[in-house]
Amino acid sequence: MTTKSNTSTKDAGKKGPKPSSNTAWKTVKTSRHPERPVLQDYIELVFSNFIPLHGDRFYADDPAIVGGFAQIGDKKVMMIGQNKGKTTIDNIERNFGMAKPEGYRKALRLMKLAERFNIPIVTIIDTPGAFPGIEAEERGQAESIAKNITEMAKLEVPIVAVVIGEGGSGGALGIGVGDKILMLSNAIYSVISPEGCASILWRDAAYAPDAAKALNLTANALYKLDVIDEIIEEPAGGAHTDYNKTASSVKNAVLKNLKSFENISTEELLNLRAEKYAAMGKFSIDN
Amino acid sequence: MAWYVKKDIAETKHVRKTLWVKCKRCSSHIYESEWKKNLNVCPNCNFHGSITSKERIELTFDKNTFKELYANISPLDSLKFVDLKGSYKDKYEANKKKSGINEAVVTGHGKINGIKAVAAVMDFRFLGGSLGSGTGEKILRAANYALKNKIPYIIFSESGGARMQEGVLSLMQMAKTCSGIALLNKSNIPFISVLANPTTGGVTASYAMMGDINIAEPYAVIGFAGRRVIEQTIGEKLPDDFQTAEYLLDHGFVDTIVNRKDMKDYLSNILSYYNR
Ligand SMILES: [Zn+2]
């Protein structure tokens, strides 16, 4: 949940082995790279004819979540995504992609609209997490996410979710209950930020690299755990080294997945979605 | 998402060889026998402390009517998660031994003043009542049982949120459990959510907030983000009543606050209106 990446190392010596860098931590850093393409870039490079729609009809329009009708290839869809900024000012304006309840409620309104128009939904996930603030709690951050997750289980149109950067916990899941979940190869998806996890289980946020490794938050790890359906490969140096190439891979992957739902009945779609989520998780059964 | 409240450690401390319980809210020391007799509720300030799933089932269901289901489901350390204190596997094995239950929730069905109900009762002693894969599986299976038999479903939450040691698999339990709730909604099977102290993080942001009726216990901490995280974000201290049951009632997110001693009758009264 916490977004702080500059961490204290003052007690590191007393806490056992020093924090160690590793592949997962490198991926975390790439996923948060300041030049990494954000939603605005994908809107330009992947979609056309984007018609932005605003407001949750209850309280406000949350700039951390952007959505509206859009076309991808020959497909008309409802696009909903979390929008980190490209500059500091932009980022402050968009609250670093951390949505408030009105953002989740806007997302749900647009999803319902997609259902009415009978067009698929594409969600683009890139958030450190839902906004942790007084006003968010006051207006029901938990309720808004819970409602989206529950309603998404019932939506009668296909949903393709793409994690392009940070998949921050419940804040990501609030628009993330897809029939297909795709992830860029350097994106992360986690139950808690590595810093947050380290400060609880290691009692020091400096152990974020160790927590990142333990959390299995990379696309590769999540593919192996049967959480995500597809990894979209980024250019060798990461998505930020070649926007066009990255965008083209995202476009192809989304289109391919959207096409896979073309001849499916609503009933079958909902059954498959229910089965998909019922199968999530690993547990033991003792006799 | 997954944040843990240190709470009941303080509630049973040996002080001068006599067993006392220190109330988390008003800090008064209560004899353990008195605390227990009062259903783990502070006689001084009415703070509702933790109770075990077994105790809650006894308080809620008519004698000998509760049949436990899915008790053989337990956690799996599929990430081979190790932190400074050791492995997740060692942790849950120790928790199983200590609590006598296999997961952070007990599921089953029984009768409340003669009315049938399916229930999932979370237990804070088991890894802080955290939502892991086994927890989610049991909650979904119980929801499906309620669906199949057209019996109202009640979930009693007492949880720090999603279980970190299972990574995104825990996060996905939010979607998994809510897909069960979605099916109950579609079939018009009532779902009642009872929120005890604490109900936070991924549990609040999934089924616990999705009750057709949300009932909180007095002074329960209920929220999404952790208090400390919010204080760090805004750089100031939060008021004492922030994220309490009373605060949620004020803001329209719970229907009512019910004392533990009255919960059974309150639930059966509500269920008596179910006419299907
Ligand atoms: Zn008290």
Side-chain angles (χ1 to χ4, degrees):
Chain A
M1 204 90 296
T2 169
T3 56
K4 283 194 180 149
S5 50
N6 50 335
T7 50
S8 131
T9 49
K10 59 181 179 337
D11 294 328
K14 298 173 202 155
K15 308 261 163 83
K18 282 212 160 95
S20 58
S21 196
N22 56 65
T23 323
W25 183 241
K26 278 182 196 133
T27 308
V28 171
K29 290 207 269 195
T30 310
S31 77
R32 296 171 177 170
H33 195 283
E35 280 151 41
R36 191 171 175 85
V38 296
L39 180 66
Q40 281 161 272
D41 301 303
Y42 292 100
I43 290 175
E44 274 173 40
L45 298 169
V46 173
F47 297 92
S48 60
N49 189 28
F50 175 52
I51 307 171
L53 300 168
H54 296 280
D56 69 344
R57 298 293 190 272
F58 291 114
Y59 180 79
D61 182 50
D62 185 347
I65 289 193
V66 167
F69 294 111
Q71 200 163 323
I72 174 165
D74 57 352
K75 278 271 184 196
K76 287 188 189 303
V77 301
M78 179 63 76
M79 195 286 304
I80 300 162
Q82 285 143 343
N83 205 357
K84 286 186 181 177
K86 289 194 76 74
T87 63
T88 308
I89 293 167
D90 203 14
N91 243 326
I92 290 165
E93 154 84 3
R94 301 196 175 278
N95 208 15
F96 300 85
M98 293 185 288
K100 294 175 186 168
E102 51 270 30
Y104 292 105
R105 289 178 187 135
K106 168 166 75 177
L108 183 58
R109 183 174 79 83
L110 298 185
M111 290 191 260
K112 291 285 199 185
L113 194 57
E115 192 176 48
R116 184 149 304 162
F117 276 68
N118 193 29
I119 52 170
I121 297 163
V122 177
T123 67
I124 308 284
I125 294 165
D126 190 15
T127 180
F131 182 62
I134 295 180
E135 67 274 41
E137 295 287 323
E138 225 168 31
R139 296 199 286 274
Q141 189 69 287
E143 191 274 346
S144 69
I145 293 172
K147 178 109 182 169
N148 281 20
I149 296 171
T150 309
E151 290 298 320
M152 286 180 93
K154 303 183 231 179
L155 278 174
E156 298 188 349
V157 290
I159 306 165
V160 175
V162 192
V163 188
I164 57 163
E166 283 185 275
S169 188
L173 192 65
I175 60 164
V177 186
D179 297 298
K180 297 281 181 189
I181 309 172
L182 325 181
M183 248 177 112
L184 277 173
S185 52
N186 287 309
I188 58 165
Y189 201 172
S190 187
V191 66
I192 184 169
S193 74
E195 290 84 356
C197 180
S199 65
I200 298 168
L201 294 180
W202 277 258
R203 302 196 176 279
D204 185 346
Y207 284 83
D210 298 77
K213 189 178 171 198
L215 283 165
N216 282 249
L217 43 63
T218 63
N220 271 325
L222 293 172
Y223 187 79
K224 281 188 202 137
L225 288 166
D226 306 312
V227 171
I228 63 164
D229 299 281
E230 191 173 324
I231 301 171
I232 307 170
E233 282 303 327
E234 293 177 29
H240 58 282
T241 61
D242 193 336
Y243 278 33
N244 286 313
K245 204 170 165 194
T246 307
S248 142
S249 305
V250 168
K251 185 173 177 177
N252 291 338
V254 171
L255 269 173
K256 186 187 73 189
N257 280 283
L258 285 173
K259 291 212 162 96
S260 74
F261 293 107
E262 268 169 5
N263 296 309
I264 194 168
S265 71
T266 305
E267 195 191 354
E268 199 183 342
L269 178 74
L270 292 181
N271 284 341
L272 285 172
R273 193 182 300 151
E275 279 167 24
K276 177 186 179 72
Y277 286 91
M280 288 273 189
K282 316 253 181 223
F283 52 89
S284 12
I285 299 192
D286 315 321
N287 292 309
Chain B
M1 175 86 351
W3 57 282
Y4 287 80
V5 182
K6 263 199 193 167
K7 45 171 249 181
D8 299 274
I9 304 152
E11 283 181 4
T12 46
K13 231 180 193 169
H14 293 257
V15 183
R16 289 195 202 102
K17 288 183 185 167
T18 316
L19 272 176
W20 296 83
V21 176
K22 188 185 171 192
C23 173
K24 214 195 132 217
R25 181 161 177 267
C26 72
S27 297
S28 48
H29 287 80
I30 318 288
Y31 276 115
E32 200 194 17
S33 55
E34 199 189 342
W35 179 266
K36 288 239 144 90
K37 210 173 78 194
N38 206 32
L39 314 176
N40 298 5
V41 173
C42 176
N44 186 43
C45 76
N46 202 34
F47 173 72
H48 280 48
S50 186
I51 54 168
T52 66
S53 45
K54 189 164 176 268
E55 288 165 330
R56 207 181 280 280
I57 287 163
E58 278 167 12
L59 279 177
T60 310
F61 287 90
D62 302 344
K63 214 170 180 208
N64 300 323
T65 65
F66 189 80
K67 302 270 181 299
E68 190 175 352
L69 297 168
Y70 326 122
N72 59 347
I73 291 174
S74 63
L76 183 69
D77 186 8
S78 47
L79 308 188
K80 306 263 177 286
F81 194 101
V82 179
D83 61 34
L84 274 191
K85 284 197 185 145
S87 77
Y88 171 45
K89 187 167 193 293
D90 289 346
K91 214 176 262 182
Y92 67 66
E93 288 301 344
N95 272 261
K96 278 161 80 168
K97 211 171 255 176
K98 186 188 75 184
S99 64
I101 52 176
N102 286 334
E103 250 298 353
V105 69
V106 173
T107 42
H109 59 89
K111 284 185 176 169
I112 304 174
N113 289 327
I115 304 176
K116 274 190 204 166
V118 177
V121 184
M122 301 196 81
D123 197 314
F124 199 87
R125 292 170 306 160
F126 197 97
L127 296 164
S130 57
L131 173 63
S133 297
T135 331
E137 178 72 16
K138 290 180 83 172
I139 289 171
L140 177 64
R141 285 195 192 191
N144 290 339
Y145 184 92
L147 182 72
K148 204 176 132 208
N149 295 285
K150 299 194 189 323
I151 302 172
Y153 189 27
I154 308 172
I155 303 181
F156 297 83
S157 296
E158 190 176 326
S159 168
R163 191 177 296 164
M164 286 177 282
Q165 295 90 342
E166 292 183 28
V168 167
L169 294 177
S170 295
L171 185 73
M172 290 299 150
Q173 301 312 305
M174 295 166 64
K176 175 168 172 168
T177 53
C178 282
S179 79
I181 302 301
L183 288 178
L184 291 177
N185 295 165
K186 273 171 105 172
S187 302
N188 286 317
I189 312 282
F191 163 50
I192 299 174
S193 173
V194 178
L195 300 94
N197 183 63
T199 300
T200 56
V203 168
T204 327
S206 58
Y207 51 86
M209 267 294 139
M210 287 315 293
D212 297 308
I213 297 164
N214 293 334
I215 305 165
E217 287 192 334
Y219 308 116
V221 168
I222 303 164
F224 176 67
R227 200 183 171 88
R228 240 181 347 150
V229 176
I230 299 172
E231 286 180 340
Q232 277 169 9
T233 310
I234 61 169
E236 54 189 275
K237 270 197 79 69
L238 293 162
D240 281 346
D241 73 332
F242 186 67
Q243 294 181 325
T244 58
E246 292 70 20
Y247 178 93
L248 266 87
L249 184 67
D250 270 357
H251 288 87
F253 290 102
V254 297
D255 287 277
T256 186
I257 298 172
V258 175
N259 283 312
R260 188 168 288 161
K261 65 177 170 54
D262 304 320
M263 190 64 82
K264 176 176 180 168
D265 289 345
Y266 188 90
L267 288 170
S268 70
N269 196 8
I270 293 273
L271 293 174
S272 75
Y273 284 81
Y274 177 51
N275 183 30
R276 244 170 226 285

